[in-house]
Amino acid sequence: MVSETYRRPEPRQPSRRVWAWFRLRGRGASGWAFVLHRLTGVVLVFYLLLHFYVLSNLARGPQAYNAIISAMKSPWVTLLEVGLIAAVLFHGLNGLRLMLMGLQIGVEQQEAMFWGALVVSALFTVVAAALML
Amino acid sequence: MATVTFKIYRYKPGAIDPPRYDTFRVEVEDHTTVLDVLETLRLDDLTLTYRHSCHHGSCGTCGMLVNGREVLACVTNVLALKTDEVVVEPLRNAPLVSDLVVDMTPFFEKYEPVGMPYIRRSEYLPEARPPEAVGEYMRFESCLECGLCLSACPVVASDAHYLGPAALAAAARVVQEPRGHDLPAIFQMVDNDEGCWRCHAAMECSSVCPNGVDPGGMIMFLRKMLLTQRR
């Protein structure tokens, strides 16, 4: 009688996905900062593409450019612009926080710096919204 | 005494596959830890697998996710979690062997290609006579080798080649106190795309580290050292 050798089953391999960056369950303030930095970064990239599209209408003549500018004056676009200001402010301030940390400045205060960036972004966004809306 | 619902991740290749969660109602006391609960549950279900050893947060083997956060189960008080439901899952970013047990091989493999120069050999007083096997032991300084930092790191979650917070913290520790180690070799190891520049400063590694190693802070230290050298 030949006995079968036990073979340990292969372990289940973890999937390596960028989506894993956005798992927020159980994460602390610095994990939220990481996710917000990426989300606001994506917002800025989309804005840049939209900006290029709007400017590209210059090449199609004054009529086309005036038409797209009129469309951009819609209150909905203004609302999006307020969101854009929030994204620019947070991404910029948090970027500053990351640069300081990279120089080993304020690493122990990094969570306080994140909250600071968040509060300052929110305050200036409210002011901008009051002026624009 | 309070009653808490435990949802425990179950997976066994070929037997419990796809994974599922088993739910238990458990009576806990003020001092009950998550590991205590697992051991109680195992008395009724010997197929429940998890890893543990010391019961006092020293060995680093019982790392797991409790309510989504990386902890050592042996020092995680159930009532301190302040939730009626406690979800227990295996660590992330590592191959899953069974239930709450992950394969730690990738964690240690990070050191093999580079000859492990940043892991110190055990040092003893000349007059000390440790047993032969113990004398050969090498460890990452201060690090429990629990793997919590690798589970919490979002970059490890998307890049299997990243050296990771534990290895980088070990490298930084040697840079801080070389004791004859080859520093240029260590800088060469960490100064690349999969070394300390790959970190995106999510700092979750430091947030979950049970032993205050502060891998995130150590990575920032390495960056500053490298930038200073380039000036």
Side-chain angles (χ1 to χ4, degrees):
Chain A
M1 183 180 157
V2 179
S3 65
E4 282 187 32
T5 308
Y6 173 75
R7 291 173 68 90
R8 191 180 109 173
E10 283 298 311
R12 185 187 175 96
Q13 294 299 323
S15 57
R16 306 275 176 185
R17 301 266 164 83
V18 170
W19 301 120
W21 291 2
F22 302 100
R23 279 191 303 227
L24 278 169
R25 195 167 134 258
R27 298 278 65 92
S30 53
W32 278 87
F34 173 84
V35 170
L36 275 176
H37 197 74
R38 264 119 208 100
L39 289 177
T40 50
V42 170
V43 168
L44 297 189
V45 168
F46 273 109
Y47 166 70
L48 193 66
L49 294 175
L50 183 67
H51 187 60
F52 286 155
Y53 169 71
V54 170
L55 289 184
S56 71
N57 278 274
L58 277 171
R60 292 169 57 203
Q63 227 172 1
Y65 187 69
N66 287 338
I68 193 91
I69 289 298
S70 316
M72 290 294 150
K73 284 182 177 166
S74 138
W76 294 108
V77 175
T78 310
L79 203 63
L80 287 176
E81 282 174 339
V82 172
L84 176 69
I85 286 170
V88 168
L89 281 169
F90 177 77
H91 200 83
L93 289 171
N94 193 55
L96 195 62
R97 165 182 166 265
L98 294 173
M99 280 196 286
L100 288 172
M101 286 164 66
L103 296 169
Q104 223 196 349
I105 298 169
V107 177
E108 287 179 11
Q109 292 78 35
Q110 57 91 11
E111 283 201 11
M113 287 199 289
F114 161 61
W115 291 116
L118 208 58
V119 168
V120 171
S121 307
L123 283 176
F124 277 88
T125 304
V126 169
V127 172
L131 293 172
M132 292 166 67
L133 294 173
Chain B
M1 187 82 86
T3 306
V4 178
T5 302
F6 268 74
K7 273 179 72 176
I8 298 179
Y9 185 96
R10 303 299 305 271
Y11 168 75
K12 294 194 185 296
I16 305 176
D17 193 359
R20 66 167 194 247
Y21 288 86
D22 283 353
T23 304
F24 306 90
R25 296 278 289 165
V26 183
E27 300 230 312
V28 296
E29 296 177 38
D30 290 347
H31 56 78
T32 306
T33 66
V34 172
L35 182 57
D36 291 335
V37 172
L38 291 174
E39 293 194 292
T40 307
L41 293 173
R42 191 174 150 75
L43 294 175
D44 290 328
D45 180 358
L46 291 174
T47 69
L48 176 63
T49 50
Y50 49 91
R51 190 183 279 131
H52 78 91
S53 183
C54 73
H55 284 91
H56 60 261
S58 165
C59 70
T61 51
C62 64
M64 55 189 74
L65 295 184
V66 173
N67 290 344
R69 191 158 180 82
E70 289 78 4
V71 295
L72 295 179
C74 68
V75 288
T76 302
N77 184 287
V78 176
L79 293 180
L81 294 169
K82 298 190 189 318
T83 50
D84 293 333
E85 185 179 88
V86 177
V87 183
V88 186
E89 296 162 304
L91 291 180
R92 295 178 176 131
N93 309 330
L96 179 58
V97 177
S98 171
D99 294 340
L100 304 171
V101 177
V102 295
D103 184 356
M104 294 292 282
T105 308
F107 178 90
F108 294 104
E109 275 178 351
K110 297 287 183 196
Y111 305 85
E112 283 179 5
V114 289
M116 298 191 278
Y118 39 58
I119 305 177
R120 292 195 203 282
R121 191 167 289 279
S122 295
E123 292 172 357
Y124 295 95
L125 293 170
E127 60 270 28
R129 292 179 181 230
E132 195 175 321
V134 174
E136 292 300 314
Y137 260 99
M138 294 187 290
R139 296 208 59 165
F140 316 156
E141 259 188 334
S142 299
C143 174
L144 299 179
E145 297 142 35
C146 59
L148 301 195
C149 56
L150 265 70
S151 173
C153 175
V155 178
V156 174
S158 59
D159 181 2
H161 303 294
Y162 173 40
L163 207 47
L168 288 169
R173 185 68 195 98
V174 173
V175 171
Q176 286 175 339
E177 197 182 328
R179 292 192 221 165
H181 278 76
D182 181 9
L183 287 192
I186 288 170
F187 282 131
Q188 195 181 349
M189 260 177 289
V190 300
D191 187 10
N192 57 62
D193 289 349
E194 299 297 351
C196 68
W197 303 109
R198 191 77 183 86
C199 167
H200 286 293
M203 304 301 280
E204 284 293 327
C205 52
S206 297
S207 173
V208 300
C209 178
N211 212 31
V213 172
D214 186 19
M218 294 296 243
I219 294 169
M220 298 306 136
F221 163 77
L222 281 177
R223 286 181 175 181
K224 189 187 175 188
M225 291 298 290
L226 290 167
L227 288 173
T228 309
Q229 279 191 339
R230 286 176 191 173
R231 275 194 355 211

